[in-house]
Amino acid sequence: MPSPDPSSVRYDGPWIHKDVHANGIRFHIAEAAPTSGSGVRGDDTAETDTPLVLLLHGFGDFWWSWRHQLTGLADLGYRAIAVDLRGYGDSDKPPRGYDGWTLAGDVAGLIRALGHTDATLVGHAEGGLVCWATAVLHPRLVRSIAVVSSPHPVALKQAVLRDGRQRRMWLPNFLRYQPPRYGERLLTTRDGFEVERLLRQRAGTDWAGSADFVDTARRMRAAIRISGTAHCALEYQRWAFRSQWRPDGHRFMSAMREPVRIPVLALHGESDGYILDATIRRGQRLSPDRRIVSLTGAGHFAHQERPQEVTAELAKLLS
């Protein structure tokens, strides 16, 4: 079966698809269409006067996972933009740049390229790790962050090393994807079934039985099969593993021990068996102005499983 065209992720809806060049590559973004009273998006002044919220997806995903927050935040008067991260969807897929430093530079470059001096960052899973990294490495550009099922990188490392239950839930798949080529085949064969397997394994039971889940799985299975995407997605995890024994990884983790002194919202599904509640609650000193919210009935994908509740909590952070 031929690979889907990258442009196939540009789904129609109440948003506008754009290309933005930042940090040396091209990013595909979906920006919520203007709503009544929120300014005209074609007017540069109106755009840059509206607070910017960047939405960053997690592993094996793409911008679509933020469809609910795109429209919800726009209705509240924010400039909401969901990004296909480096290597995903219709964004460029360069052979390198999947380290924490470069990924933070991508987001910093996007904020500037969009004409803003700062932004609130919202991220799920690995997208949340990019939020943490950008807040530390480019603090003047980040007003606040919200993370969904995404503990601080230092806290996650500590949990995997010290908490046997978290290690058992998190480490097997992480190690499984390290060998070259094997992970790529796993993600793309059987029409991308591995992505749906992970989605179903980590979702709460309510959402996993819904028509919305079926539709989301279908779209994710197609997106991971875009040429180069599976390899790029795995390069995030491969750098995280290999860098543990290299100077760049030591420097990154050392930098990440600097506390994040901006408002932080940590959202976590109570039924998330992949990232445990105890892991989310680690590292209070690393984010002293952090508020943790647990969402009943939600699993690892709370922003899709409980979209209205997540948008309401984001509104509190942004107000």
Side-chain angles (χ1 to χ4, degrees):
M1 183 179 294
S3 300
D5 189 89
S7 65
S8 62
V9 301
R10 297 188 178 225
Y11 294 113
D12 291 336
W15 37 67
I16 301 164
H17 295 282
K18 299 180 181 180
D19 294 310
V20 178
H21 290 267
N23 206 24
I25 67 171
R26 177 191 58 83
F27 291 90
H28 163 241
I29 65 170
E31 178 170 1
T35 57
S36 58
S38 63
V40 179
R41 287 285 185 262
D43 183 310
D44 290 341
T45 303
E47 284 185 347
T48 55
D49 284 350
T50 305
L52 174 64
V53 183
L54 285 184
L55 303 157
L56 312 176
H57 63 81
F59 173 76
D61 214 333
F62 66 115
W63 73 271
W64 171 258
S65 68
W66 296 108
R67 59 199 177 279
H68 303 294
Q69 286 72 38
L70 268 179
T71 54
L73 293 172
D75 288 344
L76 294 171
Y78 297 99
R79 188 182 185 195
I81 293 177
V83 181
D84 276 340
L85 294 176
R86 171 184 292 254
Y88 281 100
D90 199 14
S91 289
D92 281 350
K93 298 166 181 63
R96 58 187 59 86
Y98 301 93
D99 58 278
W101 306 94
T102 304
L103 296 170
D106 287 349
V107 175
L110 277 168
I111 293 170
R112 296 189 183 101
L114 290 165
H116 289 259
T117 57
D118 59 20
T120 288
L121 308 180
V122 183
H124 170 241
E126 286 181 356
L129 296 180
V130 178
C131 293
W132 288 112
T134 310
V136 170
L137 300 176
H138 302 276
R140 294 183 180 181
L141 294 175
V142 185
R143 289 195 308 273
S144 57
I145 66 172
V147 289
V148 181
S149 295
S150 186
H152 190 284
V154 173
L156 178 59
K157 182 177 180 178
Q158 290 174 345
V160 171
L161 291 173
R162 301 173 186 175
D163 183 333
R165 184 169 171 237
Q166 181 62 84
R167 184 165 54 252
R168 288 191 297 274
M169 298 307 299
W170 186 85
L171 196 58
N173 270 329
F174 183 75
L175 295 177
R176 185 186 192 197
Y177 294 141
Q178 294 302 318
R181 295 183 294 279
Y182 173 75
E184 286 84 344
R185 288 197 300 271
L186 192 62
L187 287 174
T188 56
T189 55
R190 299 175 63 193
D191 196 25
F193 175 75
E194 174 71 0
V195 171
E196 180 172 347
R197 184 189 73 81
L198 294 174
L199 190 70
R200 190 172 297 279
Q201 181 185 70
R202 298 170 184 176
T205 54
D206 289 349
W207 188 51
S210 70
D212 184 61
F213 176 92
V214 173
D215 180 61
T216 299
R218 176 183 62 82
R219 295 176 194 257
M220 288 179 64
R221 290 175 67 164
I224 200 66
R225 291 179 47 252
I226 293 170
S227 180
T229 299
H231 174 71
C232 295
L234 293 169
E235 284 297 284
Y236 285 71
Q237 298 196 6
R238 288 168 178 165
W239 177 82
F241 179 70
R242 296 167 187 170
S243 68
Q244 299 303 308
W245 293 273
R246 299 198 307 241
D248 61 325
H250 291 303
R251 287 191 298 111
F252 180 74
M253 292 306 289
S254 177
M256 291 307 296
R257 291 187 177 90
E258 178 67 27
V260 175
R261 302 191 184 280
I262 55 174
V264 174
L265 170 64
L267 296 161
H268 186 244
E270 285 188 354
S271 300
D272 187 351
Y274 180 62
I275 298 295
L276 305 180
D277 183 71
T279 303
I280 294 291
R281 296 182 183 279
R282 279 179 177 266
Q284 181 64 36
R285 69 165 191 85
L286 295 167
S287 52
D289 192 8
R290 179 180 62 172
R291 182 169 65 93
I292 299 174
V293 176
S294 294
L295 298 167
T296 304
H300 188 61
F301 306 91
H303 56 308
Q304 300 191 74
E305 300 179 52
R306 294 289 186 271
Q308 293 180 331
E309 294 173 52
V310 168
T311 300
E313 294 296 339
L314 292 176
K316 295 177 188 177
L317 175 70
L318 291 161
S319 62

